[in-house]
Amino acid sequence: MPPRALLVEGQEWSVYPSGHPTVYGQDQYGLMFLLGTGPERKRRFTRYTPLGARRTDAALRDLSDKKLLELFHQSQPAWTAPEGAYGAR
């Protein structure tokens, strides 16, 4: 699935499904926000409940840019998230 792009404070973050399963199955999905590459990259994670489509790729595609920005501001850095293995590389 190609990533979505999100502009936050002049920086372009890529948005992907996190691939980390939740106990809620298809009622809740994880998102990963990624900026940069290599050891200097920044990752942030959040979860959301889709309102329409239940497939991961379709649910991400259905999110508006405004809702995606809200989710970014609710996200947490990789070192505090189980999806990011608490920052382990």
Side-chain angles (χ1 to χ4, degrees):
M1 170 181 177
R4 289 222 11 213
L6 178 66
L7 193 62
V8 180
E9 297 174 4
Q11 296 181 314
E12 189 171 304
W13 290 76
S14 297
V15 185
Y16 300 90
S18 72
H20 186 73
T22 69
V23 297
Y24 302 106
Q26 292 189 339
D27 289 336
Q28 188 180 72
Y29 293 120
L31 289 179
M32 177 178 66
F33 298 91
L34 181 65
L35 177 67
T37 59
E40 298 301 315
R41 74 178 176 193
K42 294 180 183 178
R43 296 180 303 154
R44 298 184 65 85
F45 294 91
T46 194
R47 294 179 183 174
Y48 75 102
T49 301
L51 297 177
R54 294 294 183 192
R55 281 192 2 252
T56 308
D57 57 337
L60 177 56
R61 189 175 49 246
D62 288 350
L63 286 172
S64 69
D65 289 341
K66 181 180 177 182
K67 181 62 178 174
L68 208 52
L69 187 59
E70 286 176 25
L71 288 168
F72 175 84
H73 289 296
Q74 295 171 9
S75 67
Q76 61 190 79
W79 65 272
T80 65
E83 290 95 331
Y86 298 102
R89 294 185 189 217

